[in-house]
mmCIF file of all heavy atoms in Angstrom:
data_model
loop_
_atom_site.group_PDB
_atom_site.id
_atom_site.type_symbol
_atom_site.label_atom_id
_atom_site.label_comp_id
_atom_site.label_asym_id
_atom_site.label_seq_id
_atom_site.Cartn_x
_atom_site.Cartn_y
_atom_site.Cartn_z
ATOM 1 N N TYR B 134 9.466 -2.947 16.034
ATOM 2 C CA TYR B 134 8.741 -2.091 15.070
ATOM 3 C C TYR B 134 8.007 -0.901 15.714
ATOM 4 O O TYR B 134 7.278 -0.205 15.004
ATOM 5 C CB TYR B 134 7.702 -2.937 14.318
ATOM 6 C CG TYR B 134 8.287 -4.026 13.449
ATOM 7 C CD1 TYR B 134 8.105 -5.380 13.759
ATOM 8 C CD2 TYR B 134 9.014 -3.711 12.306
ATOM 9 C CE1 TYR B 134 8.626 -6.386 12.957
ATOM 10 C CE2 TYR B 134 9.546 -4.709 11.498
ATOM 11 C CZ TYR B 134 9.340 -6.044 11.828
ATOM 12 O OH TYR B 134 9.867 -7.036 11.031
ATOM 13 N N ASN B 135 8.114 -0.712 17.023
ATOM 14 C CA ASN B 135 7.296 0.311 17.715
ATOM 15 C C ASN B 135 5.806 0.052 17.497
ATOM 16 O O ASN B 135 4.989 0.981 17.487
ATOM 17 C CB ASN B 135 7.642 1.727 17.239
ATOM 18 C CG ASN B 135 9.033 2.168 17.615
ATOM 19 O OD1 ASN B 135 9.597 1.682 18.581
ATOM 20 N ND2 ASN B 135 9.582 3.086 16.842
ATOM 21 N N LEU B 136 5.470 -1.219 17.271
ATOM 22 C CA LEU B 136 4.104 -1.604 16.904
ATOM 23 C C LEU B 136 3.360 -2.159 18.120
ATOM 24 O O LEU B 136 3.772 -3.159 18.709
ATOM 25 C CB LEU B 136 4.177 -2.648 15.777
ATOM 26 C CG LEU B 136 2.919 -3.399 15.366
ATOM 27 C CD1 LEU B 136 1.802 -2.445 14.962
ATOM 28 C CD2 LEU B 136 3.228 -4.349 14.209
ATOM 29 N N PHE B 137 2.290 -1.464 18.487
ATOM 30 C CA PHE B 137 1.449 -1.888 19.608
ATOM 31 C C PHE B 137 0.184 -2.557 19.068
ATOM 32 O O PHE B 137 -0.421 -2.063 18.115
ATOM 33 C CB PHE B 137 1.030 -0.675 20.445
ATOM 34 C CG PHE B 137 2.154 -0.007 21.184
ATOM 35 C CD1 PHE B 137 2.959 0.945 20.561
ATOM 36 C CD2 PHE B 137 2.434 -0.335 22.513
ATOM 37 C CE1 PHE B 137 4.005 1.563 21.253
ATOM 38 C CE2 PHE B 137 3.481 0.285 23.204
ATOM 39 C CZ PHE B 137 4.261 1.230 22.579
ATOM 40 N N ILE B 138 -0.220 -3.640 19.702
ATOM 41 C CA ILE B 138 -1.491 -4.283 19.351
ATOM 42 C C ILE B 138 -2.503 -3.883 20.430
ATOM 43 O O ILE B 138 -2.288 -4.127 21.616
ATOM 44 C CB ILE B 138 -1.357 -5.823 19.299
ATOM 45 C CG1 ILE B 138 -0.208 -6.245 18.373
ATOM 46 C CG2 ILE B 138 -2.682 -6.451 18.874
ATOM 47 C CD1 ILE B 138 -0.430 -6.064 16.916
ATOM 48 N N LEU B 139 -3.580 -3.238 19.985
ATOM 49 C CA LEU B 139 -4.587 -2.705 20.911
ATOM 50 C C LEU B 139 -5.918 -3.440 20.749
ATOM 51 O O LEU B 139 -6.300 -3.791 19.633
ATOM 52 C CB LEU B 139 -4.842 -1.219 20.605
ATOM 53 C CG LEU B 139 -3.651 -0.266 20.559
ATOM 54 C CD1 LEU B 139 -4.119 1.133 20.148
ATOM 55 C CD2 LEU B 139 -2.955 -0.209 21.912
ATOM 56 N N GLU B 140 -6.605 -3.618 21.872
ATOM 57 C CA GLU B 140 -7.996 -4.077 21.796
ATOM 58 C C GLU B 140 -8.901 -2.908 22.166
ATOM 59 O O GLU B 140 -8.651 -2.217 23.160
ATOM 60 C CB GLU B 140 -8.237 -5.239 22.761
ATOM 61 C CG GLU B 140 -9.705 -5.698 22.726
ATOM 62 C CD GLU B 140 -10.006 -6.858 23.658
ATOM 63 O OE1 GLU B 140 -9.082 -7.639 23.984
ATOM 64 O OE2 GLU B 140 -11.169 -6.979 24.088
ATOM 65 N N VAL B 141 -9.924 -2.688 21.368
ATOM 66 C CA VAL B 141 -10.902 -1.645 21.675
ATOM 67 C C VAL B 141 -11.906 -2.220 22.674
ATOM 68 O O VAL B 141 -12.595 -3.198 22.384
ATOM 69 C CB VAL B 141 -11.636 -1.160 20.408
ATOM 70 C CG1 VAL B 141 -12.636 -0.061 20.757
ATOM 71 C CG2 VAL B 141 -10.646 -0.668 19.360
ATOM 72 N N LEU B 142 -11.947 -1.623 23.864
ATOM 73 C CA LEU B 142 -12.829 -2.114 24.925
ATOM 74 C C LEU B 142 -14.208 -1.494 24.811
ATOM 75 O O LEU B 142 -15.223 -2.127 25.109
ATOM 76 C CB LEU B 142 -12.240 -1.754 26.292
ATOM 77 C CG LEU B 142 -10.827 -2.263 26.572
ATOM 78 C CD1 LEU B 142 -10.344 -1.718 27.908
ATOM 79 C CD2 LEU B 142 -10.792 -3.784 26.568
ATOM 80 N N LYS B 143 -14.228 -0.219 24.423
ATOM 81 C CA LYS B 143 -15.497 0.499 24.316
ATOM 82 C C LYS B 143 -15.328 1.594 23.276
ATOM 83 O O LYS B 143 -14.267 2.194 23.169
ATOM 84 C CB LYS B 143 -15.896 1.090 25.674
ATOM 85 C CG LYS B 143 -17.366 1.440 25.754
ATOM 86 C CD LYS B 143 -17.889 1.390 27.176
ATOM 87 C CE LYS B 143 -18.289 -0.008 27.603
ATOM 88 N NZ LYS B 143 -19.117 -0.060 28.809
ATOM 89 N N ALA B 144 -16.371 1.808 22.479
ATOM 90 C CA ALA B 144 -16.311 2.818 21.419
ATOM 91 C C ALA B 144 -17.500 3.758 21.543
ATOM 92 O O ALA B 144 -18.612 3.340 21.881
ATOM 93 C CB ALA B 144 -16.312 2.132 20.054
ATOM 94 N N TRP B 145 -17.237 5.044 21.261
ATOM 95 C CA TRP B 145 -18.262 6.082 21.345
ATOM 96 C C TRP B 145 -18.294 6.849 20.041
ATOM 97 O O TRP B 145 -17.259 7.067 19.425
ATOM 98 C CB TRP B 145 -17.941 7.070 22.473
ATOM 99 C CG TRP B 145 -17.782 6.422 23.800
ATOM 100 C CD1 TRP B 145 -16.621 5.982 24.359
ATOM 101 C CD2 TRP B 145 -18.828 6.101 24.731
ATOM 102 N NE1 TRP B 145 -16.866 5.417 25.584
ATOM 103 C CE2 TRP B 145 -18.211 5.474 25.840
ATOM 104 C CE3 TRP B 145 -20.211 6.282 24.733
ATOM 105 C CZ2 TRP B 145 -18.934 5.032 26.941
ATOM 106 C CZ3 TRP B 145 -20.926 5.845 25.831
ATOM 107 C CH2 TRP B 145 -20.296 5.227 26.919
ATOM 108 N N VAL B 146 -19.482 7.256 19.618
ATOM 109 C CA VAL B 146 -19.559 8.012 18.378
ATOM 110 C C VAL B 146 -20.652 9.065 18.479
ATOM 111 O O VAL B 146 -21.627 8.898 19.215
ATOM 112 C CB VAL B 146 -19.777 7.046 17.177
ATOM 113 C CG1 VAL B 146 -21.187 6.507 17.158
ATOM 114 C CG2 VAL B 146 -19.432 7.704 15.861
ATOM 115 N N ASP B 147 -20.463 10.166 17.769
ATOM 116 C CA ASP B 147 -21.475 11.218 17.687
ATOM 117 C C ASP B 147 -22.557 10.753 16.700
ATOM 118 O O ASP B 147 -22.297 10.667 15.505
ATOM 119 C CB ASP B 147 -20.810 12.507 17.174
ATOM 120 C CG ASP B 147 -21.827 13.594 16.874
ATOM 121 O OD1 ASP B 147 -23.004 13.444 17.257
ATOM 122 O OD2 ASP B 147 -21.436 14.597 16.242
ATOM 123 N N PRO B 148 -23.743 10.443 17.183
ATOM 124 C CA PRO B 148 -24.767 9.883 16.287
ATOM 125 C C PRO B 148 -25.252 10.888 15.250
ATOM 126 O O PRO B 148 -25.830 10.503 14.233
ATOM 127 C CB PRO B 148 -25.897 9.477 17.241
ATOM 128 C CG PRO B 148 -25.690 10.297 18.461
ATOM 129 C CD PRO B 148 -24.224 10.590 18.568
ATOM 130 N N ALA B 149 -24.981 12.159 15.485
ATOM 131 C CA ALA B 149 -25.447 13.189 14.537
ATOM 132 C C ALA B 149 -24.558 13.259 13.292
ATOM 133 O O ALA B 149 -24.962 13.810 12.273
ATOM 134 C CB ALA B 149 -25.472 14.549 15.239
ATOM 135 N N ASN B 150 -23.361 12.698 13.380
ATOM 136 C CA ASN B 150 -22.417 12.835 12.265
ATOM 137 C C ASN B 150 -22.433 11.588 11.383
ATOM 138 O O ASN B 150 -21.724 10.618 11.628
ATOM 139 C CB ASN B 150 -21.006 13.086 12.811
ATOM 140 C CG ASN B 150 -20.085 13.620 11.738
ATOM 141 O OD1 ASN B 150 -20.336 13.430 10.549
ATOM 142 N ND2 ASN B 150 -19.033 14.296 12.144
ATOM 143 N N LYS B 151 -23.249 11.628 10.334
ATOM 144 C CA LYS B 151 -23.426 10.451 9.477
ATOM 145 C C LYS B 151 -22.358 10.360 8.392
ATOM 146 O O LYS B 151 -22.179 9.322 7.768
ATOM 147 C CB LYS B 151 -24.809 10.501 8.802
ATOM 148 C CG LYS B 151 -25.981 10.508 9.767
ATOM 149 C CD LYS B 151 -26.089 9.209 10.553
ATOM 150 C CE LYS B 151 -27.313 9.212 11.465
ATOM 151 N NZ LYS B 151 -27.177 8.224 12.558
ATOM 152 N N ASP B 152 -21.694 11.459 8.105
ATOM 153 C CA ASP B 152 -20.732 11.471 6.998
ATOM 154 C C ASP B 152 -19.504 12.289 7.438
ATOM 155 O O ASP B 152 -19.271 13.387 6.954
ATOM 156 C CB ASP B 152 -21.399 12.111 5.767
ATOM 157 C CG ASP B 152 -20.529 11.995 4.530
ATOM 158 O OD1 ASP B 152 -19.603 11.166 4.513
ATOM 159 O OD2 ASP B 152 -20.779 12.763 3.574
ATOM 160 N N PRO B 153 -18.722 11.709 8.375
ATOM 161 C CA PRO B 153 -17.637 12.482 9.000
ATOM 162 C C PRO B 153 -16.570 12.908 8.000
ATOM 163 O O PRO B 153 -16.061 12.086 7.243
ATOM 164 C CB PRO B 153 -17.055 11.509 10.040
ATOM 165 C CG PRO B 153 -17.451 10.163 9.559
ATOM 166 C CD PRO B 153 -18.766 10.324 8.881
ATOM 167 N N ARG B 154 -16.221 14.179 8.024
ATOM 168 C CA ARG B 154 -15.168 14.703 7.144
ATOM 169 C C ARG B 154 -13.822 14.545 7.840
ATOM 170 O O ARG B 154 -13.241 15.497 8.331
ATOM 171 C CB ARG B 154 -15.467 16.154 6.769
ATOM 172 C CG ARG B 154 -16.781 16.286 5.991
ATOM 173 C CD ARG B 154 -16.930 17.664 5.384
ATOM 174 N NE ARG B 154 -15.926 17.879 4.342
ATOM 175 C CZ ARG B 154 -15.363 19.058 4.071
ATOM 176 N NH1 ARG B 154 -15.679 20.126 4.780
ATOM 177 N NH2 ARG B 154 -14.477 19.172 3.091
ATOM 178 N N THR B 155 -13.350 13.290 7.883
ATOM 179 C CA THR B 155 -12.067 12.977 8.500
ATOM 180 C C THR B 155 -10.928 13.562 7.668
ATOM 181 O O THR B 155 -11.105 13.902 6.496
ATOM 182 C CB THR B 155 -11.895 11.449 8.623
ATOM 183 O OG1 THR B 155 -12.260 10.833 7.386
ATOM 184 C CG2 THR B 155 -12.797 10.890 9.708
ATOM 185 N N ILE B 156 -9.750 13.670 8.285
ATOM 186 C CA ILE B 156 -8.580 14.162 7.571
ATOM 187 C C ILE B 156 -7.570 13.030 7.413
ATOM 188 O O ILE B 156 -7.431 12.170 8.290
ATOM 189 C CB ILE B 156 -7.954 15.399 8.246
ATOM 190 C CG1 ILE B 156 -7.815 15.206 9.758
ATOM 191 C CG2 ILE B 156 -8.782 16.638 7.957
ATOM 192 C CD1 ILE B 156 -7.340 16.439 10.492
ATOM 193 N N HIS B 157 -6.866 13.051 6.278
ATOM 194 C CA HIS B 157 -5.987 11.946 5.889
ATOM 195 C C HIS B 157 -4.664 12.521 5.422
ATOM 196 O O HIS B 157 -4.642 13.370 4.526
ATOM 197 C CB HIS B 157 -6.659 11.140 4.771
ATOM 198 C CG HIS B 157 -7.977 10.564 5.168
ATOM 199 N ND1 HIS B 157 -8.159 9.237 5.433
ATOM 200 C CD2 HIS B 157 -9.177 11.167 5.410
ATOM 201 C CE1 HIS B 157 -9.422 9.032 5.813
ATOM 202 N NE2 HIS B 157 -10.059 10.192 5.810
ATOM 203 N N HIS B 158 -3.572 12.046 6.022
ATOM 204 C CA HIS B 158 -2.261 12.638 5.761
ATOM 205 C C HIS B 158 -1.627 12.057 4.503
ATOM 206 O O HIS B 158 -1.550 10.851 4.341
ATOM 207 C CB HIS B 158 -1.352 12.386 6.973
ATOM 208 C CG HIS B 158 -0.090 13.169 6.951
ATOM 209 N ND1 HIS B 158 1.100 12.665 7.406
ATOM 210 C CD2 HIS B 158 0.173 14.436 6.523
ATOM 211 C CE1 HIS B 158 2.042 13.588 7.282
ATOM 212 N NE2 HIS B 158 1.508 14.669 6.740
ATOM 213 N N ARG B 159 -1.170 12.942 3.625
ATOM 214 C CA ARG B 159 -0.440 12.501 2.426
ATOM 215 C C ARG B 159 1.055 12.789 2.529
ATOM 216 O O ARG B 159 1.795 12.599 1.580
ATOM 217 C CB ARG B 159 -0.995 13.206 1.185
ATOM 218 C CG ARG B 159 -2.324 12.649 0.709
ATOM 219 C CD ARG B 159 -2.802 13.386 -0.533
ATOM 220 N NE ARG B 159 -4.019 12.800 -1.071
ATOM 221 C CZ ARG B 159 -4.864 13.451 -1.872
ATOM 222 N NH1 ARG B 159 -4.613 14.713 -2.218
ATOM 223 N NH2 ARG B 159 -5.942 12.851 -2.322
ATOM 224 N N GLY B 160 1.508 13.272 3.671
ATOM 225 C CA GLY B 160 2.938 13.557 3.856
ATOM 226 C C GLY B 160 3.183 15.041 3.992
ATOM 227 O O GLY B 160 2.527 15.847 3.346
ATOM 228 N N ARG B 161 4.138 15.387 4.893
ATOM 229 C CA ARG B 161 4.493 16.794 5.130
ATOM 230 C C ARG B 161 3.239 17.633 5.362
ATOM 231 O O ARG B 161 2.418 17.291 6.196
ATOM 232 C CB ARG B 161 5.330 17.349 3.968
ATOM 233 C CG ARG B 161 6.580 16.534 3.690
ATOM 234 C CD ARG B 161 7.667 16.811 4.705
ATOM 235 N NE ARG B 161 8.850 15.983 4.462
ATOM 236 C CZ ARG B 161 9.887 15.925 5.278
ATOM 237 N NH1 ARG B 161 9.895 16.587 6.401
ATOM 238 N NH2 ARG B 161 10.923 15.151 5.012
ATOM 239 N N ASP B 162 3.061 18.686 4.592
ATOM 240 C CA ASP B 162 1.939 19.599 4.839
ATOM 241 C C ASP B 162 0.692 19.256 4.023
ATOM 242 O O ASP B 162 -0.268 20.026 4.010
ATOM 243 C CB ASP B 162 2.370 21.047 4.560
ATOM 244 C CG ASP B 162 2.738 21.266 3.100
ATOM 245 O OD1 ASP B 162 2.888 20.259 2.356
ATOM 246 O OD2 ASP B 162 2.881 22.429 2.702
ATOM 247 N N ALA B 163 0.706 18.102 3.348
ATOM 248 C CA ALA B 163 -0.401 17.745 2.447
ATOM 249 C C ALA B 163 -1.389 16.799 3.124
ATOM 250 O O ALA B 163 -1.016 15.734 3.617
ATOM 251 C CB ALA B 163 0.150 17.110 1.177
ATOM 252 N N PHE B 164 -2.642 17.203 3.132
ATOM 253 C CA PHE B 164 -3.714 16.398 3.716
ATOM 254 C C PHE B 164 -4.866 16.307 2.717
ATOM 255 O O PHE B 164 -4.983 17.119 1.808
ATOM 256 C CB PHE B 164 -4.220 17.039 5.013
ATOM 257 C CG PHE B 164 -3.209 17.043 6.126
ATOM 258 C CD1 PHE B 164 -2.198 18.003 6.164
ATOM 259 C CD2 PHE B 164 -3.250 16.085 7.119
ATOM 260 C CE1 PHE B 164 -1.253 18.002 7.181
ATOM 261 C CE2 PHE B 164 -2.301 16.088 8.139
ATOM 262 C CZ PHE B 164 -1.303 17.048 8.174
ATOM 263 N N MET B 165 -5.709 15.313 2.902
ATOM 264 C CA MET B 165 -6.898 15.156 2.086
ATOM 265 C C MET B 165 -8.089 15.076 3.037
ATOM 266 O O MET B 165 -7.973 14.469 4.109
ATOM 267 C CB MET B 165 -6.761 13.879 1.256
ATOM 268 C CG MET B 165 -7.966 13.423 0.505
ATOM 269 S SD MET B 165 -9.112 12.374 1.459
ATOM 270 C CE MET B 165 -8.291 10.770 1.414
ATOM 271 N N VAL B 166 -9.152 15.724 2.697
ATOM 272 C CA VAL B 166 -10.354 15.671 3.520
ATOM 273 C C VAL B 166 -11.320 14.661 2.898
ATOM 274 O O VAL B 166 -11.492 14.635 1.677
ATOM 275 C CB VAL B 166 -11.028 17.059 3.601
ATOM 276 C CG1 VAL B 166 -12.230 17.018 4.534
ATOM 277 C CG2 VAL B 166 -10.034 18.113 4.059
ATOM 278 N N ALA B 167 -11.924 13.828 3.754
ATOM 279 C CA ALA B 167 -12.872 12.825 3.259
ATOM 280 C C ALA B 167 -13.904 13.498 2.369
ATOM 281 O O ALA B 167 -14.508 14.502 2.747
ATOM 282 C CB ALA B 167 -13.548 12.138 4.431
ATOM 283 N N GLY B 168 -14.089 12.931 1.184
ATOM 284 C CA GLY B 168 -15.009 13.523 0.217
ATOM 285 C C GLY B 168 -16.313 12.756 0.114
ATOM 286 O O GLY B 168 -16.818 12.207 1.100
#
Side-chain angles (χ1 to χ4, degrees):
Chain B
Y134 296 112
N135 293 335
L136 170 56
F137 292 84
I138 307 288
L139 306 176
E140 178 180 335
V141 181
L142 303 175
K143 199 153 276 195
W145 304 93
V146 73
D147 172 11
N150 196 338
K151 300 294 183 201
D152 187 18
R154 298 192 67 213
T155 46
I156 46 186
H157 300 254
H158 192 217
R159 284 181 175 159
R161 304 283 178 187
D162 64 348
F164 293 80
M165 171 274 281
V166 184

